[in-house]
Amino acid sequence: MKIIIFIIKIPYYFIRNLYRFFHREMSGIEFEEHVYKLLKKNGFKDVTLTKKSHDYGIDILAKKKKKTYAFQCKYYSKPVGVAAIQQVYAGCEYYGYDIPVVITNQTYTRQAIALAQSNDVVLWDGDDLKSLKRKAKFYSFFQHKEVERKHPYEHIIHLLEEEGYASNDLLIEHFGYTKEKAYYILDDLQFYDLISCEDHLGIRDLYFNDFEEAMGKLKN
């Protein structure tokens, strides 16, 4: 009977553990690393995690638009109090940075908000954190598209640079192009003054020294 009950409960245990895995709480260090990645994806530069000992209340240092930022990260289950405001203000002063910021997944107490306002400490709460996540996804999408937007002749230029010459047969052999397509591409590269006319053997000389020079001519 116990075995039957155990078998019946297997799906329950599986779902429960799966839920716990995806909804487990972050540790403080994991939250700092999470914020570190979000800041980088949101255009912050020179983003640095401070050493865990003697960090003077600052977890992350970063720069953006000629301003320097000192962040303290608080992953809490309750509103953040005044201690975090005092720590980030003092830490920012120690590092000589411009803007002290506390960032949390939670909210702030009224006392913390009042102290922050009187000391020019920036407070980012759970809603701001969600906004950072949305912006990170948005920026990542366009950065990914930018990376993918390569010139259609890049792989051909790499091949020509490696072989040291150009010819119809070379493109046909390596890329499986038709004779007409190979000729069209080489004629186009000749137009950009990257290769010569073909000789009696169908060979064309290269008019560029390296990949960067060739791509520079193609993009001009």
Side-chain angles (χ1 to χ4, degrees):
M1 187 64 179
K2 289 183 178 180
I3 296 176
I4 295 174
I5 293 174
F6 175 76
I7 293 173
I8 293 173
K9 286 187 175 181
I10 286 177
Y12 164 76
Y13 290 127
F14 176 77
I15 294 172
R16 185 186 67 178
N17 291 332
L18 192 66
Y19 178 86
R20 286 178 176 177
F21 176 79
F22 285 106
H23 293 84
R24 69 183 181 87
E25 295 291 313
M26 284 189 188
S27 67
I29 293 177
E30 287 175 330
F31 185 58
E32 290 172 19
E33 292 174 347
H34 178 61
V35 173
Y36 167 84
K37 293 175 182 176
L38 286 178
L39 292 175
K40 293 188 73 173
K41 291 178 179 178
N42 275 272
F44 284 83
K45 306 298 182 183
D46 299 331
V47 185
T48 306
L49 284 163
T50 61
K51 295 181 180 179
K52 300 311 168 192
S53 58
H54 307 297
D55 61 9
Y56 299 94
I58 302 301
D59 300 313
I60 301 173
L61 299 170
K63 298 178 181 178
K64 190 173 185 180
K65 295 181 179 179
K66 299 182 180 180
K67 292 288 185 179
T68 53
Y69 294 77
F71 291 89
Q72 184 177 90
C73 304
K74 293 294 185 183
Y75 192 80
Y76 275 14
S77 58
K78 59 183 181 180
V80 178
V82 296
I85 314 304
Q86 296 167 339
Q87 292 166 5
V88 76
Y89 179 83
C92 189
E93 288 284 310
Y94 172 81
Y95 284 103
Y97 271 46
D98 301 318
I99 303 172
V101 185
V102 183
I103 180 168
T104 182
N105 62 306
Q106 268 289 336
T107 57
Y108 297 90
T109 63
R110 285 183 295 175
Q111 295 88 341
I113 294 172
L115 184 61
Q117 290 174 344
S118 62
N119 288 278
D120 294 323
V121 174
V122 177
L123 302 182
W124 290 355
D125 60 16
D127 289 336
D128 295 310
L129 187 64
K130 291 177 183 177
S131 178
L132 280 177
K133 290 179 182 178
R134 287 194 297 269
K135 289 179 181 178
K137 290 180 180 179
F138 177 80
Y139 293 140
S140 296
F141 173 79
F142 283 100
Q143 288 167 0
H144 180 66
K145 289 296 182 183
E146 189 65 29
V147 170
E148 288 184 340
R149 196 180 298 127
K150 295 181 179 180
H151 195 283
Y153 289 168
E154 280 193 18
H155 63 297
I156 296 170
I157 297 299
H158 278 303
L159 174 65
L160 301 188
E161 182 183 22
E162 182 180 339
E163 297 296 331
Y165 73 96
S167 73
N168 286 357
D169 291 341
L170 186 63
L171 299 192
I172 293 169
E173 178 183 350
H174 278 78
F175 302 120
Y177 293 157
T178 63
K179 184 175 181 180
E180 291 76 16
K181 183 173 182 178
Y183 182 83
Y184 172 83
I185 292 171
L186 294 183
D187 190 52
D188 202 23
L189 293 179
Q190 181 184 339
F191 172 81
Y192 282 97
D193 200 30
L194 287 170
I195 59 176
S196 68
C197 298
E198 61 181 9
D199 61 17
H200 64 287
L201 296 175
I203 303 299
R204 299 170 183 257
D205 294 327
L206 305 185
Y207 289 164
F208 61 92
N209 295 314
D210 53 39
F211 177 80
E212 287 72 21
E213 181 185 348
M215 295 311 299
K217 287 185 177 182
L218 283 172
K219 292 176 182 178
N220 290 335

